[in-house]
Amino acid sequence: MLDLQWLLIAIPLASGALLLVWGKESDRFGHLIGTAASAASFVLGAIMFAELLGENAEERSHAVSLFTWIDAGRFHVEMTFVFDQLSALFVLLITGVGTLIHVYSIGYMAHDERRRRFFAFLNIFIAAMLTLVLAGDYLVLFLGWEGVGLASYLLIGFWQHKPSAAAAAKKAFVVNRVGDLGMALAIMLMFAQFGTSAIEAVNAAAPGATDTVTTSLGLLLLLGACGKSAQVPLQSWLLDAMEGPTPVSALIHAATMVTAGVYLVVRSNAIFDASEVARNAVIVVGLVTLLAGAWIGCAKDDIKKALAGSTMSQIGYMMLAAGLGPAGYAFAIFHLITHGFFKANMFLGAGSVMHGMDDDVDMRHYGGLRSMMPVTFATFGLGYLAIIGVPPFAGFWSKDKIIEAAFGQNFWVGLGALLGAGVTAFYMTRLMIMTFLSEKRWREEVHPHESPRVMTWPLIALAALSAVGGILLLGDWVSEWLEPVVGHAEHHELAVPAIVLTLIITLVVAVGVVAAVVFYRREPIAAETPSSVSIFARAGRHELYGNELNEAVVVRPTRHLTRFLVWLDGKGIDGFVTGVADRLGDTSQFLRKPQTGLVRSYALTMFGGVAIIILCLLAVTLA
């Protein structure tokens, strides 16, 4: 079965293409075809994973070359897919969580007249993401990378009749192109230095390359990762992307697209291990982003945007762990998996709340929904306990390991990660209080209700995974499983015993929870934004002025440069060219005037010319 890994991609890709070209007669069952395709890839992936488990650790990498993609001189690229310990985990996450999101979407998009097309786009997205993680060559990875970008553009802007959705899709596409430029340059540099872009060959050659090459490669790959994973400074697209249907948010912003950057860094571990500068840059980006995202999450009243800020923060934890090198690679992937469970659970839970609240996303209009939506409340609550790190839920195991590894490498990095855990507890408790636990604040015409079973069953499954996902750490399974791919995890000595650090982390989380309870239960929640808010809240509501910064640093100067180039082209280059043409035209118009077409006029002109010549000759002779 391991030689059939290309089917993992082919099944959803074929389904997506079929749904796009089939006529309207398939509208009645197109969503079932799309869901079945994703489920088939999951079943196939699970069978392959079971086969991998039965093999020796050193033999758990299976490469399949389908055909030669590019063969031009020294430039040779095989369409190769690799199913190994790292890609196997991603395949199960993408197809497993993706299938649950497909099932949920059957109910969520039930009344959308373009539902068949929506499922086609979901299938294409799954296929592109699988191409990305199974690729055995950076150029093949880039093919999936761009496919994910296209599919996300189509899904974020699915409701393009809304100007905000169309603008959000365009923004996501443009910002990601900045990161893609880094990826493209990195692949070019690989070929120039190593003569290949095959992942295994590049990782094998990286330790022998110069510091300049490995640092340049690391920073260029990091730029690409920042775009896809919405890390500072390319994070501005993520919150706007909430304009897409909620299942899109769960798929793109929980388990797939935003984790692509983390995958890229971990898959390219040899490059980052060879460059301390690049690895430190990953740490800085991750730390800044996890704190920035948490700050934004504290201020947003839109439930989906609050969760999007949380996604930024949690991906920041993963990037931070990946920057720690062999000590953090496995924990970055571990947190990526648990985050896929509980964040998909909460995004779909937010969609369930919106479904029962007439698509209102403002948490200031919620309150008291725990009794109106008991299943949504219970499942969302399990995701909440997981993300803030309450033992024994999944997030406790994965996030605590990252914080522990951070303290083992640098005290200040560990302190920043610890602070992020406390702020996470604060903003997630705020979200729970405003949505489920406070007094009801919805409008009279709104009648909250629980979602249908086709939507709640995926919530239950994801909530269960959020609760028990930590079992991957039992016996250091995830570290040992990934060791052949990412190397042996180095254990740094801590200043305090691990159990003491765990108690400190739990105490910090408890402080964040208590602070939110005191702050938001002390007085009624305002139905509208107060006229005066603190500078910190104002910055969070404006997403730390990231959009304003982009406007000032990039958009406005580029607009002025474009206008100058247009003026230069019109008045300078075109002015010179058209000026010469105009002068030649004027000259031709002047020369046309004697051309009357009358023979008598031409004869008179010839006679006059002969007379002038004769007179000139006489004058010369007499002189």
Side-chain angles (χ1 to χ4, degrees):
M1 290 295 290
L2 289 170
D3 291 336
L4 299 177
Q5 55 188 268
W6 58 272
L7 279 175
L8 294 168
I9 302 168
I11 292 172
L13 184 61
S15 172
L18 178 65
L19 293 178
L20 285 178
V21 300
W22 205 340
K24 288 190 175 182
E25 64 273 8
S26 64
D27 286 347
R28 293 180 292 103
F29 51 82
H31 54 285
L32 300 178
I33 294 176
T35 303
S38 182
S41 287
F42 172 70
V43 172
L44 185 59
I47 294 172
M48 292 180 178
F49 178 73
E51 286 192 30
L52 216 59
L53 282 173
E55 297 183 345
N56 295 325
E58 62 274 8
E59 298 175 352
R60 288 174 176 161
S61 179
H62 293 264
V64 176
S65 178
L66 298 184
F67 54 85
T68 298
W69 183 15
I70 300 174
D71 190 10
R74 293 191 307 116
F75 192 31
H76 185 83
V77 179
E78 291 286 326
M79 183 60 69
T80 302
F81 299 115
V82 177
F83 195 85
D84 62 5
Q85 293 92 329
L86 180 58
S87 58
L89 294 180
F90 271 86
V91 165
L92 293 179
L93 179 67
I94 294 165
T95 57
V97 175
T99 298
L100 291 174
I101 293 171
H102 275 71
V103 173
Y104 177 95
S105 299
I106 293 174
Y108 192 86
M109 303 294 289
H111 303 294
D112 195 297
E113 60 183 15
R114 299 168 66 236
R115 180 169 64 167
R116 172 172 53 88
R117 179 171 294 188
F118 179 78
F119 276 83
F121 292 161
L122 286 183
N123 279 180
I124 292 172
F125 185 93
I126 293 289
M129 192 68 197
L130 288 171
T131 301
L132 191 159
V133 300
L134 288 170
D137 190 290
Y138 279 103
L139 199 60
V140 179
L141 186 153
F142 193 58
L143 177 66
W145 192 271
E146 292 303 298
V148 166
L150 171 62
S152 66
Y153 170 79
L154 296 172
L155 287 167
I156 292 170
F158 184 74
W159 288 327
Q160 69 264 33
H161 60 276
K162 296 165 52 180
S164 57
K170 183 171 65 175
K171 183 176 182 180
F173 193 82
V174 170
V175 173
N176 272 273
R177 296 294 73 73
V178 177
D180 293 351
L181 178 62
M183 274 287 292
L185 291 174
I187 294 171
M188 294 177 192
L189 181 57
M190 289 172 190
F191 178 72
Q193 291 296 319
F194 309 131
T196 181
S197 56
I199 296 175
E200 184 178 2
V202 170
N203 275 335
T210 65
D211 289 342
T212 301
V213 171
T214 54
T215 298
S216 299
L217 278 176
L219 294 178
L220 288 171
L221 291 174
L222 177 59
L223 179 61
C226 286
K228 276 290 182 289
S229 292
Q231 300 292 282
V232 173
L234 300 180
Q235 82 289 354
S236 62
W237 66 270
L238 184 65
L239 275 78
D240 288 351
M242 296 300 108
E243 290 291 338
T246 301
V248 173
S249 302
L251 183 64
I252 292 179
H253 309 127
T256 53
M257 177 174 167
V258 292
T259 63
V262 180
Y263 170 83
L264 178 66
V265 173
V266 175
R267 179 60 83 181
S268 308
N269 58 83
I271 295 173
F272 288 92
D273 289 344
S275 173
E276 185 176 358
V277 173
R279 199 166 61 247
N280 288 336
V282 176
I283 293 175
V284 170
V285 166
L287 184 59
V288 170
T289 305
L290 80 87
L291 294 174
W295 187 345
I296 292 171
C298 291
K300 288 295 185 180
D301 295 316
D302 182 317
I303 187 171
K304 289 177 64 178
K305 290 190 175 183
L307 290 173
S310 171
T311 296
M312 273 181 59
S313 183
Q314 299 305 308
I315 301 295
Y317 270 109
M318 300 171 207
M319 293 295 287
L320 168 60
L324 298 175
Y329 289 136
F331 300 138
I333 300 302
F334 183 30
H335 193 56
L336 185 153
I337 293 171
T338 60
H339 175 264
F341 297 154
F342 58 68
K343 186 54 65 64
N345 173 28
M346 287 188 288
F347 265 121
L348 295 184
S352 181
V353 170
M354 293 165 56
H355 181 269
M357 295 293 293
D358 292 346
D359 288 330
D360 190 351
V361 297
D362 195 331
M363 293 186 292
R364 293 171 297 184
H365 303 159
Y366 294 168
L369 294 180
R370 64 185 181 278
S371 59
M372 310 301 293
M373 304 178 183
V375 177
T376 301
F377 168 63
T379 54
F380 198 102
L382 290 176
Y384 158 75
L385 295 173
I387 191 174
I388 68 174
V390 172
F393 297 95
F396 164 76
W397 305 101
S398 57
K399 191 188 298 182
D400 276 29
K401 278 297 182 181
I402 293 176
I403 297 174
E404 180 182 321
F407 269 114
Q409 185 149 323
N410 183 283
F411 172 80
W412 296 108
V413 173
L415 189 62
L418 179 62
L419 175 62
V423 181
T424 299
F426 177 86
Y427 71 72
M428 286 307 304
T429 304
R430 168 184 180 266
L431 189 151
M432 287 293 292
I433 292 173
M434 293 183 69
T435 303
F436 297 104
L437 303 177
S438 53
E439 72 287 348
K440 66 177 185 178
R441 299 180 301 280
W442 60 77
R443 301 183 301 273
E444 291 184 2
E445 63 271 19
V446 176
H447 302 285
H449 56 277
E450 187 59 271
S451 298
R453 290 183 180 180
V454 72
M455 293 172 63
T456 56
W457 278 112
L459 294 179
I460 294 170
L462 289 168
L465 291 170
S466 302
V468 303
I471 61 174
L472 294 177
L473 194 64
L474 292 179
D476 285 334
W477 182 86
V478 70
S479 298
E480 294 178 1
W481 174 259
L482 291 172
E483 185 174 324
V485 180
V486 302
H488 178 68
E490 303 172 2
H491 297 283
H492 296 278
E493 291 295 328
L494 297 172
V496 297
I499 185 64
V500 174
L501 180 57
T502 297
L503 292 174
I504 293 173
I505 296 171
T506 304
L507 178 62
V508 169
V509 169
V511 170
V513 172
V514 171
V517 171
V518 171
F519 191 84
Y520 286 94
R521 296 301 293 267
R522 183 175 54 190
E523 55 187 40
I525 297 172
E528 302 296 336
T529 304
S531 57
S532 61
V533 295
S534 68
I535 186 174
F536 296 104
R538 189 179 303 113
R541 289 177 184 276
H542 285 82
E543 300 167 23
L544 305 186
Y545 301 103
N547 291 319
E548 288 80 359
L549 181 63
N550 288 339
E551 179 75 20
V553 175
V554 179
V555 177
R556 204 171 297 148
T558 302
R559 187 183 297 127
H560 290 319
L561 176 61
T562 302
R563 288 173 178 171
F564 169 73
L565 293 175
V566 169
W567 175 86
L568 180 63
D569 182 60
K571 300 297 184 181
I573 299 174
D574 284 357
F576 173 76
V577 174
T578 56
V580 171
D582 289 344
R583 300 295 76 76
L584 291 173
D586 293 342
T587 303
S588 66
Q589 290 294 331
F590 174 76
L591 295 176
R592 281 181 59 190
K593 292 180 179 179
Q595 308 300 320
T596 62
L598 299 175
V599 176
R600 289 176 297 176
S601 298
Y602 295 159
L604 179 61
T605 302
M606 294 174 62
F607 178 78
V610 171
I612 292 173
I613 293 173
I614 293 173
L615 290 175
C616 290
L617 290 174
L618 290 174
V620 171
T621 302
L622 295 175

